[in-house]
Amino acid sequence: AVDTTPQGYRIVFEGKPAGPFPQGQLIQLIANGRLTKASYVWKPGMAQWATVENSPEVLRLIVLAPPPFVPTE
């Protein structure tokens, strides 16, 4: 699937804004545990930075993301 969104989300990592990230990359960051409900995100059109918990579009990705895979031996 190709992400046709012209702009992605910017995210605060370790106190510094990074990005923009397309939706597919957000899903990877969620899977890696780097993007959580407490992370701050912003995209063009938003008045200010908001936590993922207050960003329904991104929060939906967290809800739909599978839990981290831990192989058992």
Side-chain angles (χ1 to χ4, degrees):
V2 177
D3 187 358
T4 55
T5 309
Q7 74 276 355
Y9 278 89
R10 294 189 182 272
I11 301 165
V12 174
F13 283 127
E14 296 161 8
K16 295 179 187 149
F21 296 101
Q23 185 170 318
Q25 205 168 354
L26 292 181
I27 293 168
Q28 285 181 317
L29 293 167
I30 291 164
N32 295 339
R34 297 198 59 201
L35 182 60
T36 67
K37 288 182 185 180
S39 300
Y40 278 89
V41 296
W42 178 87
K43 75 169 186 175
M46 290 174 63
Q48 59 195 13
W49 288 83
T51 59
V52 168
E53 204 160 23
N54 293 313
S55 305
E57 286 179 45
V58 185
L59 182 60
R60 181 179 62 90
L61 299 178
I62 287 184
V63 171
L64 296 176
F69 176 70
V70 181
T72 54
E73 300 196 32

